[in-house]
Amino acid sequence: MESIKNYISEHKERFLNELIELLKMPSVSADTAFTQDVLDTAEAVKASLLNAGCDVVEICETDGYPIVYGEKIINAALPTILVYGHYDVQPADPINLWTSPPFEPVIKKTEKHPDGAIYARGACDDKGQMYMHVKALEFMVKTNQLPCNVKFMIEGEEEVGSSNLAVFVANNKEKLANDIILISDTGMIANDVPSITTGLRGLSYVEVEVTGPNRDLHSGLYGGAVANPINVLTKMIASLHDENNRITIPGFYDKVEELSKEERAEMAKAPFSLENYKNALAIEDIYGEKGYTTNERNSIRPTLDVNGIWGGYIGEGAKTVIASKAFAKISMRLVPNQDWKEITELFKTHFESIAPKGVTVVVKPHHGGQGYVTPINTIGYQAASKAYETTFGKKPIPQRSGGSIPIVALFEKELNSKTILMGFGLDSDAIHSPNEHFGVWNYLKGIETIPYFYKYFTEMNS
Amino acid sequence: MESIKNYISEHKERFLNELIELLKMPSVSADTAFTQDVLDTAEAVKASLLNAGCDVVEICETDGYPIVYGEKIINAALPTILVYGHYDVQPADPINLWTSPPFEPVIKKTEKHPDGAIYARGACDDKGQMYMHVKALEFMVKTNQLPCNVKFMIEGEEEVGSSNLAVFVANNKEKLANDIILISDTGMIANDVPSITTGLRGLSYVEVEVTGPNRDLHSGLYGGAVANPINVLTKMIASLHDENNRITIPGFYDKVEELSKEERAEMAKAPFSLENYKNALAIEDIYGEKGYTTNERNSIRPTLDVNGIWGGYIGEGAKTVIASKAFAKISMRLVPNQDWKEITELFKTHFESIAPKGVTVVVKPHHGGQGYVTPINTIGYQAASKAYETTFGKKPIPQRSGGSIPIVALFEKELNSKTILMGFGLDSDAIHSPNEHFGVWNYLKGIETIPYFYKYFTEMNS
C-alpha cells in the first residue's frame, strides 16, 4: 500500500484537472434553472466510476434527480464498503461576493493552504470529497490492491433533503447491503489535528408566510392602523429565543440529550482558540445559549436560525409600502433523541399560536432529518483511526459536528450498518458560502488515507 | 362657468386618451433603469402644458430629475395660483400581482367605480390628479374664463423625497411667487362624501444594515455559536414597539401634538365603518396603538413601519446558511411638531444602541419631510369648500390624512403661502400598490371642480 504516495505524485495533475472539470458543472439541486446541469453531472459521475474500475454503474431514476450506483464485487466472502456522497451543490448566491466565478474553478494559495486550494462551489461539499473516493478506488484497482468489495451510491439531492434517496434505500436493501458505510462530507479540526466526526445534528427546515391585508398598502394611509406583516414577522421570530438565547417553543428541549460533566470535559480538550475564531469571522464577540461554550453550542445543543427573510420593497431607493406578505426560511439544528418530525410539528403549532389577530400564518415544512451519534468502539471507527494515524502520523480526535447529513440515521435503520464520517475539509473552507474552496493538500491526503481504511477494515474483519 | 360640464362631456374621450398616453410612460424615479422614461415624461408634461395654454413652459434642470415649470400670467394685479404635482411614480413591484400590466393602462368597471376606473401605476398618484389641472386650465383658456394668473411646478422626484425640489424652490422664490398653492395628491372620503385634506403626516425614511460574520456561514457548523444578523435584526425591529404598540425610541413622542377631547370628537364624526374597512382589506382584526381609533391611528398618531426586509437565501428551495448581512427599509410617519431630522437622529442613536455585541449596525437616512396642518379659516380653504359644494352638491369635510407630502411644509417656509390639498382619489385606489387605479368619474369631477376654485378664490380676493 506504500505505492499510494507515488501514485498520487505521478497522477496529481490529472486528479486535479478531473475534479476541476466536475466542478465546472453547476449542479444546483435547489434551483430548477439548473435541471439539465444536474442531470449532466450524474452522467459525468457515472463515467468517472467506470473509468476508476467499477464493473457495473447505473443511473438510477427517482422522482427527483437520479442516484448514481456503482460497484466492484471481487469476492462475496469479503467485506463490502458502501461509499455515499453527493454530486449536487448548494446555490452559489450571493454571486457578487465570490472573488472568482463559482463554476470556473481556480487554484489559489492561501495562508491555510500553502499548496493551494481549489475555489469553486462544491469544491469541498461534496464533489471534492466524493471524488477522493473515486480516485482512491482507481489506485486500488489499477494496482491490484483492492482488498474487499465496494459499492458507490452518489445522489443528487443532498442539498435539498435527500427525500428520494430514502425511498431508493428502502427499495434496494439487497443491492446496497454492506458491512460499513463510508462518507466524506464533514470536516476535520486542522491539517495537523486530524479528527473523525462521531456525531451529527438533525435538521428541521421550514418556510413561514405571514399575510396581513389582501394587497400592498400605502404606509401613509394605513400605517399604524393595520398589522404590518413584516413587523409582525419580526416580533414572532424575535420571540422564538428568550433572553438567555434559549428557544421558547414549548417542548423543544424535552428530549435533548444532556451530556455528563465528564463528556463535556472531554469535549473541552479539543484545541480551540476563541481569539482565532472571532478574528476569522471578524466579529467582536460570540453569541449563543447561556451556559454553554462555543464548541458545545454548535455541536451538542439544538439551534434555531433564520436562513432567509424577505418582504416588501427591497429594490433600489425607497417605497412607502405596507406589504401584504412577509416570508422567512427557518431551520433548526437538532441533537440526538430529538425527532425532526416531532420538532417540526412543535414549531408549526407554536408559530401559528403566536400570530396576532389581523394576520394569517402558514408554516410549510421543507425537509428534515435525524441526528446521529456513532460509537468509537467499533471495527469501523478503529480502522478509520488507524488509517489516519498512518497517513497523518497522529491519532485522530473523535469530534461531534454541528452539521447535518440527515440520511445517516436512515442508513442505520434501513441498512442496519454503521457509518464512518471521514471528512478532510476545514471549517474555514466556506462551504455553503461564497468562495467555497478545498485544499489541494486535503484532497490528496484524502485519496492517500482512504485505501488504508479499506486495508485495515478488511484485516480487522477477517 | 356653467359651460365646464358641456366642455367635459364634449372632450371626455380625448381627456381620457391623453392621460392614458401619459400613464404608458414608466417614470419610476426610484429605479435608475427608468432614467430615460422619467426624462421623456417631463417632456410630455411640458408639451401638455403648452397645449393647454401656458405662455411659457421650461424644463428646469436640477441635480436629479428636472422640474417642469409653466405659467400663464394674464394680469399682475390679479391673484396667482401655483399648482404643484409630480410626474414620477412609485415602482410597480410586485409586478406579478397586477391583473393588467402597470404601464399598459386599461379602463375597468368596479363596484366603487361603475363608470370605470383607469388601471395603471400613477393613474391616481399623481399623473391622473396632476393632469386634471392641465385639463382644467385648457378649459379656462380655450373658453376665455381664466380669472387669474396660474403657475405650474411639476416635479419628477416626489416618490424619492423631493430633495432637488427644495433647492429649486429656495432659488426661485420670485418666479414661484403666488397667493395660494393648489395640490391634488391626496384623497377624499367617498364619492358622495367629499373632503379636503387639512393635515399631512411628516416622514422619516431610513435603511438599516446589520452585519455579523464577515461571510455567509454554514448554519450547521456555526449555528447557535455566532450572532445571526437576521435573527438579531428581527429582535431589534421587534423591540421598537412595546406591548401597547407604542414606539419605544426614547424621546419619540416628546413633541407629538396631542389633540383635545373636542377635536377628537369632531374627527370621530367622519363616516367610518370598521366592518367595511376590515372586509376591504380581508383582515380579521385591526391592529395599532392602544387608546386610539383607526382614523386616529392613521392620521394624528406617528407610526413606524418596516417597508422592506431582506437577508440570506430567498430563492427557491432551501439553503442552510447564516447570512453575513441583513437589511430593512423602515419609515416613520410623523405628526405636526415632530421634526423629521430630529426623529431620524433619535432613531439612529437608539437603533445603534440596541445592537448586541457580535454585530455592527449602519443606519442610513433616506429622506424625510415635516408634517403639515392647514387652517380652515382662510380664503383658500373657503374657496375650495365652495367649489366642492358647487360640483358635489354638499359641503366637504375637513380631514387629516395619514400620508405625507413632505414639500408642503417647505412651501410655507420658503414661499410664505398656504397650500390647499384638493384630492379626488379614494383610499381604495391602491396607490403605491399593485392595481393602482383612478375613477373616471373622479378624474372628470376634479376637472369640473378646479375652475370653480379659481373663480371663487379670485372673487374672494378682490
Side-chain angles (χ1 to χ4, degrees), chain A residues 396-439:
Chain A
I397 295 173
Q399 192 202 25
R400 296 274 285 268
S401 161
S404 304
I405 310 179
I407 211 68
V408 169
L410 182 107
F411 288 162
E412 174 144 351
K413 183 170 154 252
E414 296 286 353
L415 302 177
N416 198 27
S417 47
K418 295 284 177 194
T419 293
I420 300 298
L421 298 161
M422 287 176 76
F424 294 91
L426 301 181
D427 274 5
S428 54
D429 285 345
I431 67 170
H432 292 211
S433 301
N435 305 312
E436 175 177 351
H437 55 278
F438 188 35

Short mmCIF file of all heavy atoms in Angstrom, two decimals, chain A residues 396-439:
data_model
loop_
_atom_site.label_atom_id
_atom_site.label_comp_id
_atom_site.label_asym_id
_atom_site.label_seq_id
_atom_site.Cartn_x
_atom_site.Cartn_y
_atom_site.Cartn_z
N PRO A 396 -6.34 10.45 15.24
CA PRO A 396 -7.38 11.47 15.09
C PRO A 396 -8.22 11.60 16.36
O PRO A 396 -8.35 10.66 17.13
CB PRO A 396 -8.22 10.93 13.94
CG PRO A 396 -8.06 9.45 14.03
CD PRO A 396 -6.65 9.22 14.52
N ILE A 397 -8.80 12.81 16.54
CA ILE A 397 -9.68 13.09 17.69
C ILE A 397 -11.13 12.83 17.28
O ILE A 397 -11.56 13.27 16.21
CB ILE A 397 -9.53 14.58 18.10
CG1 ILE A 397 -8.12 14.84 18.60
CG2 ILE A 397 -10.58 14.97 19.14
CD1 ILE A 397 -7.83 16.30 18.87
N PRO A 398 -11.89 12.08 18.11
CA PRO A 398 -13.32 11.95 17.78
C PRO A 398 -14.04 13.27 18.08
O PRO A 398 -13.79 13.89 19.12
CB PRO A 398 -13.81 10.83 18.71
CG PRO A 398 -12.83 10.80 19.83
CD PRO A 398 -11.53 11.33 19.30
N GLN A 399 -14.89 13.73 17.16
CA GLN A 399 -15.48 15.06 17.31
C GLN A 399 -16.94 15.08 16.89
O GLN A 399 -17.31 14.55 15.85
CB GLN A 399 -14.67 16.04 16.44
CG GLN A 399 -15.00 17.49 16.72
CD GLN A 399 -14.63 18.39 15.55
OE1 GLN A 399 -14.57 17.95 14.41
NE2 GLN A 399 -14.42 19.65 15.83
N ARG A 400 -17.77 15.75 17.71
CA ARG A 400 -19.18 15.95 17.34
C ARG A 400 -19.28 17.14 16.42
O ARG A 400 -18.72 18.20 16.71
CB ARG A 400 -20.04 16.18 18.59
CG ARG A 400 -20.10 15.02 19.54
CD ARG A 400 -21.19 14.04 19.15
NE ARG A 400 -22.50 14.56 19.50
CZ ARG A 400 -23.14 14.34 20.64
NH1 ARG A 400 -22.60 13.57 21.56
NH2 ARG A 400 -24.32 14.85 20.87
N SER A 401 -19.99 17.03 15.32
CA SER A 401 -20.14 18.14 14.38
C SER A 401 -21.51 18.79 14.52
O SER A 401 -22.48 18.14 14.89
CB SER A 401 -19.96 17.64 12.95
OG SER A 401 -20.51 18.55 12.03
N GLY A 402 -21.57 20.08 14.16
CA GLY A 402 -22.85 20.77 14.21
C GLY A 402 -23.69 20.58 12.97
O GLY A 402 -24.87 20.87 12.95
N GLY A 403 -23.07 20.09 11.92
CA GLY A 403 -23.77 19.92 10.64
C GLY A 403 -24.72 18.74 10.66
O GLY A 403 -24.85 18.02 11.64
N SER A 404 -25.41 18.58 9.54
CA SER A 404 -26.41 17.52 9.44
C SER A 404 -26.20 16.76 8.14
O SER A 404 -25.98 17.35 7.10
CB SER A 404 -27.82 18.12 9.41
OG SER A 404 -28.03 18.93 10.54
N ILE A 405 -26.22 15.44 8.19
CA ILE A 405 -26.35 14.63 6.99
C ILE A 405 -27.53 13.72 7.29
O ILE A 405 -27.38 12.60 7.78
CB ILE A 405 -25.07 13.82 6.68
CG1 ILE A 405 -23.84 14.75 6.71
CG2 ILE A 405 -25.17 13.15 5.31
CD1 ILE A 405 -22.53 14.02 6.45
N PRO A 406 -28.74 14.23 7.03
CA PRO A 406 -29.95 13.58 7.55
C PRO A 406 -30.06 12.10 7.20
O PRO A 406 -30.70 11.33 7.91
CB PRO A 406 -31.08 14.38 6.89
CG PRO A 406 -30.48 15.72 6.59
CD PRO A 406 -29.04 15.44 6.26
N ILE A 407 -29.40 11.70 6.13
CA ILE A 407 -29.60 10.34 5.65
C ILE A 407 -28.87 9.30 6.50
O ILE A 407 -29.19 8.11 6.44
CB ILE A 407 -29.16 10.29 4.16
CG1 ILE A 407 -29.98 9.28 3.40
CG2 ILE A 407 -27.68 10.12 4.02
CD1 ILE A 407 -31.43 9.66 3.24
N VAL A 408 -27.91 9.76 7.32
CA VAL A 408 -27.10 8.80 8.06
C VAL A 408 -27.94 7.95 9.04
O VAL A 408 -27.77 6.74 9.14
CB VAL A 408 -25.95 9.53 8.80
CG1 VAL A 408 -25.26 8.59 9.78
CG2 VAL A 408 -24.95 10.08 7.80
N ALA A 409 -28.89 8.61 9.71
CA ALA A 409 -29.75 7.86 10.64
C ALA A 409 -30.60 6.84 9.88
O ALA A 409 -30.84 5.73 10.35
CB ALA A 409 -30.64 8.82 11.43
N LEU A 410 -31.02 7.25 8.69
CA LEU A 410 -31.83 6.35 7.87
C LEU A 410 -31.03 5.13 7.42
O LEU A 410 -31.54 4.00 7.40
CB LEU A 410 -32.36 7.11 6.65
CG LEU A 410 -33.26 6.28 5.77
CD1 LEU A 410 -34.71 6.72 5.93
CD2 LEU A 410 -32.84 6.34 4.32
N PHE A 411 -29.76 5.35 7.06
CA PHE A 411 -28.90 4.23 6.64
C PHE A 411 -28.86 3.17 7.75
O PHE A 411 -28.98 1.98 7.50
CB PHE A 411 -27.47 4.70 6.36
CG PHE A 411 -27.32 5.51 5.10
CD1 PHE A 411 -26.19 6.30 4.91
CD2 PHE A 411 -28.28 5.48 4.10
CE1 PHE A 411 -26.03 7.05 3.76
CE2 PHE A 411 -28.13 6.23 2.94
CZ PHE A 411 -26.99 7.01 2.76
N GLU A 412 -28.68 3.63 8.97
CA GLU A 412 -28.57 2.70 10.08
C GLU A 412 -29.86 1.90 10.23
O GLU A 412 -29.84 0.69 10.42
CB GLU A 412 -28.27 3.46 11.38
CG GLU A 412 -28.30 2.56 12.60
CD GLU A 412 -27.26 2.93 13.64
OE1 GLU A 412 -26.40 3.78 13.36
OE2 GLU A 412 -27.32 2.34 14.73
N LYS A 413 -30.98 2.62 10.07
CA LYS A 413 -32.29 1.98 10.26
C LYS A 413 -32.57 0.99 9.12
O LYS A 413 -32.97 -0.15 9.36
CB LYS A 413 -33.37 3.07 10.30
CG LYS A 413 -34.77 2.58 10.57
CD LYS A 413 -35.71 3.75 10.85
CE LYS A 413 -37.14 3.38 10.50
NZ LYS A 413 -37.65 4.04 9.31
N GLU A 414 -32.37 1.42 7.89
CA GLU A 414 -32.76 0.60 6.74
C GLU A 414 -31.73 -0.46 6.40
O GLU A 414 -32.08 -1.58 6.01
CB GLU A 414 -32.99 1.49 5.50
CG GLU A 414 -34.13 2.48 5.62
CD GLU A 414 -35.51 1.81 5.51
OE1 GLU A 414 -35.58 0.61 5.21
OE2 GLU A 414 -36.51 2.52 5.75
N LEU A 415 -30.45 -0.08 6.48
CA LEU A 415 -29.40 -1.00 6.01
C LEU A 415 -28.71 -1.69 7.18
O LEU A 415 -27.85 -2.56 6.98
CB LEU A 415 -28.38 -0.24 5.17
CG LEU A 415 -28.98 0.47 3.94
CD1 LEU A 415 -27.91 1.26 3.19
CD2 LEU A 415 -29.65 -0.54 3.00
N ASN A 416 -29.07 -1.27 8.39
CA ASN A 416 -28.52 -1.91 9.58
C ASN A 416 -27.00 -1.86 9.61
O ASN A 416 -26.34 -2.81 10.03
CB ASN A 416 -29.03 -3.36 9.66
CG ASN A 416 -28.86 -3.92 11.05
OD1 ASN A 416 -28.86 -3.16 12.02
ND2 ASN A 416 -28.69 -5.22 11.14
N SER A 417 -26.44 -0.76 9.14
CA SER A 417 -24.98 -0.65 9.25
C SER A 417 -24.56 0.73 9.73
O SER A 417 -25.28 1.71 9.60
CB SER A 417 -24.28 -1.00 7.93
OG SER A 417 -24.89 -0.35 6.86
N LYS A 418 -23.39 0.77 10.33
CA LYS A 418 -22.85 1.99 10.90
C LYS A 418 -22.18 2.82 9.80
O LYS A 418 -21.76 2.29 8.77
CB LYS A 418 -21.81 1.65 11.98
CG LYS A 418 -22.39 0.94 13.17
CD LYS A 418 -23.13 1.92 14.05
CE LYS A 418 -23.80 1.20 15.23
NZ LYS A 418 -24.80 2.08 15.88
N THR A 419 -22.06 4.08 10.09
CA THR A 419 -21.42 5.00 9.14
C THR A 419 -20.15 5.57 9.75
O THR A 419 -20.13 5.93 10.93
CB THR A 419 -22.39 6.14 8.79
OG1 THR A 419 -23.49 5.61 8.07
CG2 THR A 419 -21.71 7.22 7.97
N ILE A 420 -19.11 5.65 8.94
CA ILE A 420 -17.88 6.32 9.36
C ILE A 420 -17.76 7.62 8.57
O ILE A 420 -17.82 7.62 7.34
CB ILE A 420 -16.64 5.44 9.08
CG1 ILE A 420 -16.75 4.11 9.84
CG2 ILE A 420 -15.35 6.18 9.47
CD1 ILE A 420 -16.80 4.24 11.34
N LEU A 421 -17.61 8.71 9.30
CA LEU A 421 -17.56 10.04 8.68
C LEU A 421 -16.11 10.51 8.60
O LEU A 421 -15.58 11.10 9.54
CB LEU A 421 -18.41 11.01 9.48
CG LEU A 421 -19.91 10.64 9.53
CD1 LEU A 421 -20.62 11.33 10.68
CD2 LEU A 421 -20.59 10.95 8.21
N MET A 422 -15.48 10.19 7.47
CA MET A 422 -14.07 10.56 7.28
C MET A 422 -14.00 11.85 6.47
O MET A 422 -13.90 11.80 5.25
CB MET A 422 -13.36 9.46 6.49
CG MET A 422 -13.09 8.20 7.25
SD MET A 422 -12.33 6.94 6.15
CE MET A 422 -10.65 7.53 6.01
N GLY A 423 -14.05 12.97 7.14
CA GLY A 423 -14.02 14.24 6.41
C GLY A 423 -12.63 14.83 6.38
O GLY A 423 -11.89 14.74 7.35
N PHE A 424 -12.29 15.47 5.26
CA PHE A 424 -10.95 16.06 5.12
C PHE A 424 -10.99 17.57 4.89
O PHE A 424 -9.98 18.20 4.63
CB PHE A 424 -10.18 15.36 4.00
CG PHE A 424 -9.89 13.92 4.30
CD1 PHE A 424 -10.77 12.90 3.93
CD2 PHE A 424 -8.74 13.59 5.01
CE1 PHE A 424 -10.50 11.58 4.23
CE2 PHE A 424 -8.47 12.26 5.32
CZ PHE A 424 -9.36 11.25 4.94
N GLY A 425 -12.20 18.17 4.96
CA GLY A 425 -12.31 19.63 4.79
C GLY A 425 -12.01 20.36 6.09
O GLY A 425 -11.86 19.76 7.15
N LEU A 426 -11.91 21.68 5.99
CA LEU A 426 -11.73 22.52 7.17
C LEU A 426 -12.94 23.42 7.34
O LEU A 426 -13.61 23.75 6.36
CB LEU A 426 -10.46 23.39 7.03
CG LEU A 426 -9.14 22.65 6.82
CD1 LEU A 426 -7.99 23.66 6.73
CD2 LEU A 426 -8.88 21.65 7.96
N ASP A 427 -13.21 23.84 8.58
CA ASP A 427 -14.34 24.76 8.83
C ASP A 427 -14.21 26.04 8.00
O ASP A 427 -15.19 26.66 7.61
CB ASP A 427 -14.41 25.15 10.31
CG ASP A 427 -15.20 24.12 11.11
OD1 ASP A 427 -15.59 23.10 10.52
OD2 ASP A 427 -15.42 24.35 12.31
N SER A 428 -12.98 26.42 7.73
CA SER A 428 -12.72 27.67 7.00
C SER A 428 -12.89 27.52 5.49
O SER A 428 -12.65 28.46 4.75
CB SER A 428 -11.30 28.14 7.32
OG SER A 428 -10.38 27.10 7.04
N ASP A 429 -13.30 26.35 5.04
CA ASP A 429 -13.42 26.13 3.59
C ASP A 429 -14.63 26.83 2.97
O ASP A 429 -14.82 26.78 1.75
CB ASP A 429 -13.52 24.62 3.28
CG ASP A 429 -12.16 23.93 3.43
OD1 ASP A 429 -11.14 24.63 3.50
OD2 ASP A 429 -12.14 22.68 3.49
N ALA A 430 -15.44 27.48 3.81
CA ALA A 430 -16.56 28.30 3.32
C ALA A 430 -17.58 27.50 2.51
O ALA A 430 -18.11 27.98 1.51
CB ALA A 430 -16.05 29.49 2.50
N ILE A 431 -17.86 26.28 2.97
CA ILE A 431 -18.93 25.53 2.29
C ILE A 431 -20.25 26.24 2.54
O ILE A 431 -20.43 26.86 3.58
CB ILE A 431 -18.99 24.04 2.74
CG1 ILE A 431 -19.41 23.92 4.20
CG2 ILE A 431 -17.66 23.36 2.52
CD1 ILE A 431 -19.71 22.50 4.61
N HIS A 432 -21.14 26.22 1.59
CA HIS A 432 -22.44 26.93 1.60
C HIS A 432 -22.27 28.45 1.50
O HIS A 432 -23.26 29.16 1.56
CB HIS A 432 -23.27 26.61 2.85
CG HIS A 432 -23.76 25.19 2.90
ND1 HIS A 432 -24.94 24.84 3.50
CD2 HIS A 432 -23.24 24.04 2.40
CE1 HIS A 432 -25.11 23.52 3.39
NE2 HIS A 432 -24.09 23.03 2.72
N SER A 433 -21.06 28.94 1.37
CA SER A 433 -20.79 30.39 1.35
C SER A 433 -20.14 30.75 0.03
O SER A 433 -19.69 29.89 -0.72
CB SER A 433 -19.82 30.77 2.47
OG SER A 433 -20.32 30.43 3.72
N PRO A 434 -20.04 32.06 -0.24
CA PRO A 434 -19.20 32.47 -1.38
C PRO A 434 -17.75 32.03 -1.13
O PRO A 434 -17.31 31.94 0.02
CB PRO A 434 -19.32 34.00 -1.36
CG PRO A 434 -20.60 34.27 -0.64
CD PRO A 434 -20.71 33.19 0.39
N ASN A 435 -17.04 31.77 -2.20
CA ASN A 435 -15.62 31.41 -2.14
C ASN A 435 -15.35 30.07 -1.44
O ASN A 435 -14.31 29.91 -0.80
CB ASN A 435 -14.80 32.54 -1.50
CG ASN A 435 -15.02 33.85 -2.22
OD1 ASN A 435 -14.96 33.89 -3.45
ND2 ASN A 435 -15.35 34.90 -1.50
N GLU A 436 -16.27 29.14 -1.60
CA GLU A 436 -16.00 27.78 -1.13
C GLU A 436 -14.71 27.28 -1.77
O GLU A 436 -14.43 27.56 -2.94
CB GLU A 436 -17.17 26.85 -1.54
CG GLU A 436 -16.89 25.39 -1.18
CD GLU A 436 -18.06 24.45 -1.51
OE1 GLU A 436 -19.15 24.95 -1.85
OE2 GLU A 436 -17.85 23.21 -1.41
N HIS A 437 -13.92 26.58 -0.98
CA HIS A 437 -12.67 26.03 -1.53
C HIS A 437 -12.30 24.75 -0.79
O HIS A 437 -12.89 24.41 0.24
CB HIS A 437 -11.55 27.06 -1.46
CG HIS A 437 -11.31 27.61 -0.07
ND1 HIS A 437 -12.07 28.62 0.48
CD2 HIS A 437 -10.39 27.29 0.88
CE1 HIS A 437 -11.63 28.90 1.70
NE2 HIS A 437 -10.63 28.09 1.97
N PHE A 438 -11.33 24.04 -1.33
CA PHE A 438 -10.89 22.76 -0.76
C PHE A 438 -9.39 22.70 -1.00
O PHE A 438 -8.92 22.85 -2.15
CB PHE A 438 -11.63 21.62 -1.44
CG PHE A 438 -11.42 20.26 -0.82
CD1 PHE A 438 -11.26 20.10 0.56
CD2 PHE A 438 -11.39 19.11 -1.61
CE1 PHE A 438 -11.08 18.83 1.13
CE2 PHE A 438 -11.21 17.85 -1.05
CZ PHE A 438 -11.05 17.71 0.32
N GLY A 439 -8.62 22.48 0.07
CA GLY A 439 -7.17 22.46 -0.04
C GLY A 439 -6.69 21.33 -0.95
O GLY A 439 -7.18 20.20 -0.85
#
